[in-house]
Amino acid sequence: MRHLIDPMDLTVEEIDRLLKTGDDIIDHPEMYAHICEGKKLATLFYEPSTRTRLSFESAMLSLGGTVLGFSSASSSSATKGETIEDTARVVGCFADIIAMRHPKDGAPLVASQYSPVPIINGGDGGHQHPTQTLADMMSIHRIKGHLDNLTIGLCGDLKFGRTVHSLIAAMSRYENVHFILIAPEELRLPSYVKERFLDKNNIPYTEVECLDDVMPQLDILYMTRIQKERFASEEEYERLKDCYILDPQKLVSAKPDLCILHPLPRVNEITPEVDKDPRACYFKQVFFGKVIRMSLILNLLGLGTLDVNRPCKREKEPIKIDSMVCNNPHCITTIERGLPQMFTETEDHGVYRCAYCEAAQQK
């Protein structure tokens, strides 16, 4: 049995297979209309979502399967104190596969440790969003025709933007990819993402604050929303919310074949006038997201070419350290008190990373 918790759970070859199946779904949708008949998808969404939840539901229905689940924590037994461990075990008796979103980093990983059916991470806090990454990669694959030899600009909230973290992880394995990280000082990419995926693999990247200065270099511009729900204070959000607004004037210096992506929802970081520009690809991205989730679901159910018996290998296996406690307030360990404190040793002496949220800790 396979889960998808982190984009690195998939090899490059497996991603290529998922994309190939996605291509075939687009070309021959009738061949896939009944492939999941009799199968059930459970959507466990502990925080609000429109696109991701409906994309999963539409994907399963388009495969001939059925859907059950909840769309907020308030309508689940979490309000009664039920643990993620127990929820995964119970819902796994009702469904064949589970898509889960949770506001705490590491929650889907916990669910995968106890669930009798495959778990798909639909977004965990500010940590990871692997299926959005697959949607992004499917979009680039279909629009650009390749996933290598690209200069990718990531703009906006790179600190809390789980879609950004996952995309960097996945794209860092392709040849000749250069990242330009566009963010204010307060919203820069977390150090663990740079260390784990960019520095370690000698991936070239540039950190800047001004979008205009780098626009002519970009093949892909990935805009992100400044996420109000992730900020500790209203004042800080108000100060930063309008730091990047993409309008037609800013695109004058851009390449004619620039691909503009956005995980959505947008607030005001892309003006409606940009929608008319042929380089605006974010609504195509929504469709490709449904397609790649169809590919993922049928593969994790053992109905595709993915080896569902291949265990996901981690770079290092985490160890239990009773004397350490994760100090990340967004970590799942802050609400699931019975979880063992598990950490992975880094190359820096005395520094460990929480196995659930990857926050750095000093021993």
Side-chain angles (χ1 to χ4, degrees):
M1 185 174 66
R2 292 281 296 277
H3 307 282
L4 180 61
I5 306 302
D6 183 300
M8 304 304 277
D9 291 343
L10 296 167
T11 66
V12 170
E13 293 75 18
E14 288 174 333
I15 290 174
D16 289 343
R17 287 185 197 174
L18 291 174
L19 296 176
K20 185 176 180 180
T21 301
D23 288 335
D24 201 48
I25 289 170
I26 292 171
D27 294 338
H28 307 287
E30 70 284 353
M31 291 176 55
Y32 295 86
H34 304 286
I35 196 170
C36 286
E37 277 188 356
K39 301 293 185 180
K40 299 181 184 69
L41 166 73
T43 53
L44 310 186
F45 276 60
Y46 290 80
E47 67 175 0
S49 169
T50 302
R51 273 144 301 276
T52 303
R53 181 172 59 85
L54 293 183
S55 181
F56 271 116
E57 293 182 1
S58 179
M60 190 55 158
L61 294 172
S62 296
L63 293 168
T66 55
V67 180
L68 65 155
F70 55 82
S71 58
S72 70
S74 62
S75 58
S76 77
S77 289
T79 58
K80 304 174 185 176
E82 184 173 61
T83 63
I84 288 172
E85 172 187 340
D86 284 359
T87 299
R89 283 172 160 159
V90 168
V91 176
C93 296
F94 305 145
D96 300 286
I97 190 168
I98 295 171
M100 179 180 180
R101 169 170 287 188
H102 200 283
K104 291 292 187 180
D105 302 355
L109 175 61
V110 173
S112 72
Q113 294 168 344
Y114 300 97
S115 173
V117 300
I119 296 286
I120 302 174
N121 181 2
D124 60 328
H127 186 222
Q128 296 282 6
H129 198 341
T131 65
Q132 181 61 52
T133 294
L134 291 175
D136 301 338
M137 297 176 81
M138 185 75 192
S139 302
I140 297 169
H141 162 73
R142 294 290 295 189
I143 295 164
K144 285 291 188 181
H146 56 91
L147 292 168
D148 53 3
N149 301 305
L150 294 168
T151 297
I152 303 173
L154 303 164
C155 181
D157 181 359
L158 309 190
K159 179 179 180 180
F160 299 112
R162 57 193 172 197
T163 61
V164 169
H165 304 167
S166 292
L167 184 59
I168 288 174
M171 292 297 294
S172 67
R173 296 183 290 184
Y174 289 83
E175 293 293 325
N176 196 29
V177 173
H178 173 215
F179 292 102
I180 298 182
L181 311 174
I182 309 151
E185 181 71 32
E186 298 89 340
L187 296 176
R188 284 193 170 184
L189 192 69
S191 59
Y192 82 84
V193 179
K194 287 186 279 190
E195 292 166 5
R196 182 181 173 191
F197 302 113
L198 300 178
D199 297 334
K200 184 176 180 179
N201 297 308
N202 297 313
I203 305 296
Y205 66 94
T206 308
E207 292 186 284
V208 301
E209 290 195 20
C210 182
L211 173 60
D212 293 351
D213 291 348
V214 298
M215 184 69 81
Q217 306 173 41
L218 304 180
D219 299 307
I220 308 290
L221 173 58
Y222 195 91
M223 296 295 295
T224 64
R225 174 174 63 94
I226 306 300
Q227 302 179 78
K228 183 177 182 178
E229 65 272 23
R230 308 293 180 205
F231 281 79
S233 71
E234 180 82 18
E235 293 76 20
E236 187 177 17
Y237 167 73
E238 289 294 329
R239 182 169 57 83
L240 295 170
K241 68 176 183 178
D242 296 328
C243 56
Y244 299 106
I245 299 177
L246 184 66
D247 57 29
Q249 183 59 38
K250 284 187 169 62
L251 289 169
V252 169
S253 63
K255 292 181 179 181
D257 62 345
L258 173 70
C259 173
I260 305 169
L261 300 177
H262 191 304
L264 301 177
R266 66 172 165 183
V267 182
N268 63 346
E269 60 276 1
I270 300 178
T271 67
E273 291 76 20
V274 175
D275 298 351
K276 303 170 187 176
D277 193 304
R279 295 170 290 189
C281 301
Y282 30 87
F283 293 117
K284 293 178 183 178
Q285 190 179 354
V286 176
F287 169 72
F288 293 137
K290 171 194 168 180
V291 168
I292 200 65
R293 288 185 177 98
M294 291 173 68
S295 175
L296 178 66
I297 288 169
L298 69 89
N299 270 281
L300 288 182
L301 286 173
L303 302 172
T305 60
L306 209 66
D307 181 2
V308 294
N309 296 313
R310 184 187 74 81
C312 294
K313 294 181 180 179
R314 299 189 181 190
E315 295 174 20
K316 292 183 179 180
E317 286 300 317
I319 57 175
K320 187 173 183 293
I321 304 178
D322 293 326
S323 60
M324 291 177 62
V325 176
C326 180
N327 57 20
N328 175 13
H330 304 291
C331 183
I332 187 60
T333 57
T334 62
I335 61 171
E336 298 279 323
R337 300 294 184 180
L339 291 176
Q341 295 288 332
M342 304 292 290
F343 299 90
T344 302
E345 189 173 7
T346 70
E347 295 177 2
D348 296 332
H349 180 69
V351 178
Y352 293 78
R353 293 203 177 278
C354 174
Y356 306 101
C357 71
E358 299 186 85
Q361 317 287 329
Q362 291 282 347
K363 187 172 182 181

